[in-house]
Amino acid sequence: MPTDVRETVVDEAAYDRRRLRQWLAGRAHADGVTRRDLMRLLAAAGLATGLPATLPATARAATDTPSASAAGIVKPLPEEWFTARGTNAETNFASLAATGHHTPVSHFFVRNHTSTPLLDPATWKLTVQGSGLAGGGRDFTLADLERLPAVTRSCFVECAGNGRSYFTSQQGQNVSGTAWTLGAIGSARWRGARLADVLRMSGLRRDAVDVLPRGLDAEYVTADGTNLGRVRRPLPVAKALDDVILAYEMNGEPLPPDHGAPVRLIVPSWIGIASIKWVGDIEVSSEPLFSPWNTDFYRLFGDAYPPEGSSPLSRQTIKSAIELPWNAHLPAHTSHRLTGRSWSGAGTIARVEISTDAGHTWRRARLHDTPRRADWVRWSTSWRPTTTGPTTVLAQATDTTGRTQPSATQHNTQGYLFDAVVQHPVTVV
Ligand SMILES: Nc1nc2c(c(=O)[nH]1)N[C@H]1C(S)=C(S)[C@@H](COP(=O)(O)O)O[C@H]1N2
Ligand SMILES: [Mo]
């Protein structure tokens, strides 16, 4: 692969047009994507001609979605570490103050569309198949993957909707989806086989364009009863060959059930949905692929965006979070060590600035990790408040691409990629 492969990957808009053209030529699958969605995408790309009459209708589920609860998550979710949100569990960011660079499994957020399946690693296998392979594809057992050269990646997994609740609480805007604060992120040391090795061993052809990993968890049924099938999202082959791994270890232990056991994808820097858990099969296609997770979801919709939405989201944005409870009470005339973390899906973190007076004055935080791409940095600053009463503490990061967290994020209806500085309330007593 050329070393500048990342540049190619970034241009999802062009890639998307290529996908759509191939689809029009009858060479792409769009199972589970509604006709309305494809029309919208085609119109946007100026390609809305000769629309095929036969698109598969989306299936209707016979029953309603089971009621939301954090049931379905296997590990314990003590209240001091987690806030349950439907089928998901958010890490309480303040609890990370007691952890190191990597988030222990005990504290790592869980985002499940349905519930955690319990798979037997002894019988699990990964099927790699599709038109982008020469030959009939092949299966890999866990032992097969473990025999391949192992690589370790220290990186975060972060939900695209992390910070979503601040669109409403800070900007007064309506958004749909799980009302995360800033705890839909964790960083771990992931170890596994290179997806590139697995694809090449499976007979990857030069004309392969998309890779579609699919989870073994239950089919996902939306609140209105539409069955979208199993969780899956196309990944451009360039990214798949770059730095993606099939991880079987997390922080030196076998991958735990809630985080994708026995094997999940880790797609560094990209939004969490790319890192498919409990992966069971991967379709490699010489035709572009669609799923609801790159058409309806994980694009930006709203007044600032074209009607068909933005191109599919790929990289994460830039954020900072403070390791203090919301509305913490801190005694005056005492020195406090404020700690937190900042991260970016683009460059590495260059600096973090802190304000303890609602943005009037700022100072540089001290960084405690060497900033690395696709990972977060811990930082600290000391603060000796003298005036009692409510105030707002702010952390604002800048990355090496020159991107600085803004004071407001452009609205999008699904509340993705919130990157504004969060106004963290603190009361000095
Ligand atoms: N099979 C499958 N993979 C999945 C999901 C899922 O529900 N099913 N959720 C995705 C989303 S939206 C996110 S943010 C991450 C969360 O990973 P975690 O639960 O290990 O923190 O997993 C992704 N992979
Ligand atoms: Mo997510």
Side-chain angles (χ1 to χ4, degrees):
M1 290 301 297
T3 50
D4 64 348
V5 67
R6 254 165 239 149
E7 300 312 313
T8 331
V9 173
V10 175
D11 195 5
E12 262 271 356
Y15 192 83
D16 203 33
R17 284 177 63 86
R18 205 150 68 234
R19 267 199 193 109
L20 287 162
R21 252 185 237 111
Q22 288 174 294
W23 183 78
L24 271 178
R27 293 194 290 111
H29 311 190
D31 299 344
V33 179
T34 63
R35 185 184 173 80
R36 179 178 54 87
D37 284 340
L38 279 162
M39 302 236 312
R40 170 169 56 70
L41 296 172
L42 287 163
L47 298 169
T49 50
L51 200 61
T54 52
L55 269 181
T58 44
R60 287 271 150 185
T63 56
D64 281 349
T65 320
S67 68
S69 80
I73 295 178
V74 170
K75 70 184 179 185
L77 302 171
E79 272 182 25
E80 66 270 40
W81 298 344
F82 292 102
T83 301
R85 302 195 187 280
T87 54
N88 317 296
E90 173 170 359
T91 302
N92 294 335
F93 215 94
S95 76
L96 294 180
T99 68
H101 179 89
H102 291 120
T103 313
V105 170
S106 58
H107 289 62
F108 208 100
F109 87 104
V110 180
R111 163 61 176 126
N112 280 353
H113 281 72
T114 61
S115 59
T116 297
L118 292 175
L119 306 174
D120 178 1
T123 56
W124 174 88
K125 66 179 168 52
L126 172 68
T127 299
V128 184
Q129 51 79 34
S131 60
L133 302 176
R138 61 170 285 182
D139 289 349
F140 295 82
T141 63
L142 182 55
D144 291 336
L145 294 185
E146 286 168 344
R147 271 193 294 270
L148 296 177
V151 293
T152 301
R153 304 233 183 278
S154 174
C155 64
F156 60 73
V157 170
E158 184 193 16
C159 192
N162 194 25
R164 175 181 285 131
S165 68
Y166 303 110
F167 277 105
T168 306
S169 64
Q170 205 161 288
Q171 304 188 173
Q173 295 160 338
N174 275 333
V175 286
S176 61
T178 303
W180 305 109
T181 59
L182 285 171
I185 183 170
S187 169
R189 203 154 42 81
W190 311 94
R191 187 165 175 270
R194 285 191 176 86
L195 180 56
D197 290 344
V198 164
L199 295 178
R200 291 201 177 100
M201 287 173 71
S202 306
L204 185 69
R205 290 162 50 110
R206 292 185 62 97
D207 63 353
V209 293
D210 269 343
V211 163
L212 183 65
R214 192 162 60 147
L216 290 165
D217 41 339
E219 296 184 339
Y220 175 57
V221 179
T222 63
D224 72 0
T226 308
N227 185 341
L228 300 181
R230 291 204 267 127
V231 177
R232 62 202 188 283
R233 186 178 200 252
L235 189 66
V237 96
K239 177 67 174 173
L241 292 177
D242 180 17
D243 57 357
V244 177
I245 64 170
L246 286 157
Y248 43 73
E249 267 182 34
M250 179 177 181
N251 296 335
E253 301 286 337
L255 207 60
D258 295 312
H259 300 289
V263 177
R264 80 177 298 170
L265 253 71
I266 288 292
V267 182
S269 301
W270 282 37
I271 56 173
I273 186 63
S275 294
I276 294 292
K277 303 193 277 188
W278 315 294
V279 60
D281 58 88
I282 298 180
E283 177 178 354
V284 184
S285 182
S286 56
E287 308 153 357
L289 300 172
F290 292 92
S291 91
W293 287 268
N294 72 341
T295 52
D296 243 7
F297 305 129
Y298 305 108
R299 289 179 187 246
L300 306 176
F301 297 96
D303 291 345
Y305 300 99
E308 70 286 356
S310 68
S311 47
L313 301 181
S314 54
R315 285 170 187 278
Q316 265 296 357
T317 186
I318 183 168
K319 288 194 190 70
S320 300
I322 303 168
E323 293 167 344
L324 269 185
W326 202 246
N327 240 320
H329 283 48
L330 299 180
H333 310 294
T334 309
S335 190
H336 301 285
R337 186 167 177 267
L338 297 180
T339 62
R341 297 169 196 244
S342 298
W343 59 95
S344 166
T348 62
I349 294 297
R351 62 176 191 277
V352 181
E353 275 144 320
I354 310 296
S355 173
T356 50
D357 55 8
H360 295 293
T361 60
W362 294 86
R363 59 179 169 284
R364 273 277 179 116
R366 195 153 75 83
L367 304 188
H368 295 282
D369 294 303
T370 304
R372 290 189 203 289
R373 111 174 233 284
D375 210 344
W376 59 18
V377 291
R378 292 171 292 171
W379 47 257
S380 73
T381 190
S382 62
W383 180 33
R384 193 183 161 83
T386 48
T387 326
T388 58
T391 183
T392 305
V393 179
L394 311 174
Q396 180 180 45
T398 300
D399 71 21
T400 50
T401 71
R403 178 131 189 223
T404 297
Q405 289 184 257
S407 54
T409 302
Q410 182 65 59
H411 173 256
N412 69 89
T413 58
Q414 295 178 101
Y416 295 132
L417 303 186
F418 187 87
D419 60 355
V421 173
V422 169
Q423 293 156 26
H424 195 126
V426 170
T427 302
V428 178
V429 292

